Amino acid sequence: MSLFVQKYGGTSVGTVERIEAVADKITKFKAEGHDMVIAVSAMSGETNRLLGLASSISDNPTPRELDVLVSTGEQVTIALLCMALHKRGVEARSYTGQQVKILTDSAHTKARIQDIDVSNMRADLSAGRVVVVAGFQGVDEDGNITTLGRGGSDTTGVALAAALKADECQIYTDVDGVYTTDPRVVSGARRLEKITFEEMLEMASQGSKVLQIRSVEFAGKYNVPLRVLSSFKDGPGTLISLEEDDASMEQVVVSGIAFNRDEAKVTVIGVPDTPGAAARILAPIGEANIEVDVIVQNISADNTTDLTFTVHRNDVEKAKAILKVVCDELGAKDIKSDAKIAKVSIVGVGMRSHAGVASTMFSALANENINIQMITTSEIKIAVIIEERYLELAVRSLHSAFGLDAQPQEES
Ligand code: ADP
Ligand code: ASP
Ligand code: MG
């Protein structure tokens, strides 16, 4: 008998029929004798619908009220799922984040979990009940409802698994595992049997939204066995594993390709080439809580530099307003921005022991006439900024350049 924490995402509970199907699945596990704690998302589209309602009333709703609003989505699904379980004769009890108590900090809309009270859940499990917890939400120490950021139900699932020392945290979604890249973009993408935490973290950070970044951080930190599976069809899914010593992993240089369209680049032109200029430009950006990702500096002949960096698209106007003031003080010439960019990253622990990965990447892009605007690397990743319109072409060509395409099925 094992203790499983299972998380079901929005599509998996997107209709009443889907909720019934999830209840069937849980009933089966329960009948096999397992203890079950379930975290659920809101029905698909619901969180966006709620955010839409908020923006139709206000351009600037307070984060506290946004959290009160969007947390309602998950409250609907916990109750419906419990009703479906009761109908099947399975005892189950629903809990909001506050009822559990999933204690978070007070950073509304992006709160972090600090502690989870497991006493109610343990009592229910001992009494043979299935525990159904609302994903994505918690409560701060003053009793305010908080939420964990988009995709946050993944983190609820992993945090519950860590707190309860579950045998496995299973993330049920609409794909049957983690793929070499988003299967919606490359039809030949392959499911991975295993991926390391480190690679999964890099994939998630570089834009693969199959798991929220924090859920992977959490799983790595607390050593939670984590698996991504489909709620629509049976299969082993993908295990996110700690070991890197697996022979199959060593042979692979690049495990996956991630991408995102969330960033925009900002260039400050004609910055005097003096010590401290970059710091003076970037310090107020950081102070305004704007995250800077890729940074590139070019030196020109006339003793000035151009400093280009990327920020989230939602932060471009704010960044430009800040830079206007700094640039006047510094005597820089101009500020430009471009939101029509995309970032494509290749990820793999195998890169540590292989040379020539960057040149393979750059040649594959050159063969498609795709210009690289910026480059950034880490030990297990190379990311490039390109024009947004070439994104899908770039991902497809890199996918085949690194031998990731699925082999055609052999004729039988
Ligand atoms: P859920 O609602 O279950 O949380 P998400 O939409 O958040 O589901 O995540 C699943 C989606 O992630 C898939 O439908 C897929 O399009 C996307 N995705 C992006 N990159 C990958 C990848 N490397 N492997 C699998 N899915 C990926
Ligand atoms: N419902 C939330 C969202 O749409 C949380 C989640 O689904 O993980 O982002
Ligand atoms: Mg998700």
Side-chain angles (χ1 to χ4, degrees):
M1 191 177 95
S2 305
L3 168 58
F4 292 137
V5 173
Q6 300 186 331
K7 176 260 174 176
Y8 290 90
T11 321
S12 308
V13 292
T15 61
V16 165
E17 292 71 27
R18 289 299 315 153
I19 292 175
E20 300 255 20
V22 167
D24 282 337
K25 239 180 153 51
I26 297 168
T27 304
K28 206 173 117 256
F29 279 101
K30 190 79 185 97
E32 286 167 8
H34 302 298
D35 281 342
M36 305 294 294
V37 174
I38 313 296
V40 282
S41 290
M43 295 167 83
S44 57
E46 179 62 8
T47 309
N48 286 342
R49 187 186 75 85
L50 293 166
L51 288 169
L53 287 177
S55 57
S56 65
I57 288 196
S58 165
D59 288 339
N60 201 12
T62 63
R64 183 185 185 280
E65 301 315 323
L66 271 179
D67 278 353
V68 173
L69 178 71
V70 293
S71 62
T72 60
E74 273 71 12
Q75 190 166 337
V76 171
T77 37
I78 53 171
L80 292 176
L81 180 56
C82 281
M83 291 173 198
L85 287 166
H86 296 162
K87 191 163 90 179
R88 285 158 179 78
V90 176
E91 280 197 59
R93 197 178 262 181
S94 68
Y95 289 90
T96 62
Q98 196 164 11
Q99 286 173 317
V100 167
K101 144 171 193 187
I102 298 180
L103 184 72
T104 71
D105 61 18
S106 302
H108 284 291
T109 77
K110 45 177 183 295
R112 280 182 182 267
I113 297 177
Q114 292 176 332
D115 190 41
I116 297 183
D117 181 348
V118 293
S119 50
N120 284 331
M121 293 188 286
R122 286 258 181 247
D124 281 325
L125 291 174
S126 308
R129 284 190 280 268
V130 171
V131 177
V132 180
V133 178
F136 177 54
Q137 54 178 266
V139 62
D140 74 2
E141 55 183 10
D142 298 320
N144 297 300
I145 296 174
T146 54
T147 63
L148 310 177
R150 298 306 305 266
S153 299
D154 296 332
T155 302
T156 305
V158 175
L160 289 172
L164 291 160
K165 302 192 174 45
D167 293 289
E168 193 165 274
C169 178
Q170 302 170 338
I171 306 285
Y172 281 93
T173 181
D174 56 2
V175 269
D176 63 346
V178 178
Y179 275 63
T180 46
T181 193
D182 189 339
R184 286 188 213 196
V185 170
V186 179
S187 57
R190 259 187 310 113
R191 180 179 60 83
L192 299 162
E193 281 294 324
K194 265 187 180 183
I195 184 168
T196 66
F197 274 112
E198 220 183 340
E199 287 170 320
M200 191 63 239
L201 191 59
E202 198 71 81
M203 289 278 281
S205 315
Q206 298 304 316
S208 296
K209 292 185 178 132
V210 59
L211 286 175
Q212 198 198 31
I213 304 170
R214 281 187 190 168
S215 71
V216 188
E217 281 170 1
F218 224 101
K221 189 165 165 195
Y222 295 98
N223 209 348
V224 177
L226 184 61
R227 193 182 288 277
V228 176
L229 312 111
S230 165
S231 60
F232 294 81
K233 63 176 196 192
D234 291 335
T238 300
L239 182 69
I240 325 292
S241 84
L242 268 182
E243 317 117 49
E244 268 177 41
D245 52 358
D246 198 297
S248 63
M249 283 180 173
E250 272 176 24
Q251 287 157 17
V252 182
V253 181
V254 171
S255 302
I257 297 172
F259 53 86
N260 84 50
R261 296 180 170 88
D262 298 341
E263 293 181 21
K265 69 173 184 180
V266 181
T267 306
V268 186
I269 299 166
V271 182
D273 190 15
T274 50
R280 281 188 59 192
I281 291 172
L282 293 174
I285 300 285
E287 279 155 22
N289 262 329
I290 299 175
E291 254 178 66
V292 172
D293 185 21
V294 188
I295 306 173
V296 164
Q297 179 176 292
N298 312 318
I299 301 188
S300 67
D302 62 353
N303 275 336
T304 65
T305 64
D306 296 340
L307 187 77
T308 305
F309 57 91
T310 64
V311 295
H312 195 281
R313 281 188 193 181
N314 298 344
D315 289 330
V316 182
E317 291 313 316
K318 197 168 149 197
K320 281 168 79 178
I322 293 169
L323 289 175
K324 176 104 196 41
V325 180
V326 186
C327 289
D328 288 348
E329 287 167 17
L330 269 174
K333 288 196 196 92
D334 201 3
I335 303 162
K336 284 200 173 137
S337 65
D338 181 0
K340 294 203 172 83
I341 58 156
K343 187 164 72 164
V344 184
S345 315
I346 57 172
V347 174
V349 288
M351 275 186 216
R352 285 198 185 110
S353 47
H354 286 80
V357 185
S359 65
T360 306
M361 180 183 198
F362 302 159
S363 305
L365 296 173
N367 288 342
E368 300 293 348
N369 253 327
I370 300 172
N371 189 38
I372 300 171
Q373 302 180 4
M374 302 168 89
I375 303 167
T376 172
T377 65
S378 76
E379 228 191 342
I380 64 161
K381 165 207 81 190
I382 302 172
V384 295
I385 301 287
I386 59 170
E387 236 184 288
E388 185 181 7
R389 64 188 165 131
Y390 295 125
L391 176 62
E392 299 198 355
L393 177 61
V395 175
R396 279 200 306 273
S397 59
L398 291 172
H399 199 263
S400 42
F402 286 100
L404 298 175
D405 290 339
Q407 299 301 316
Q409 296 290 313
E410 281 188 17
E411 307 263 330
S412 55

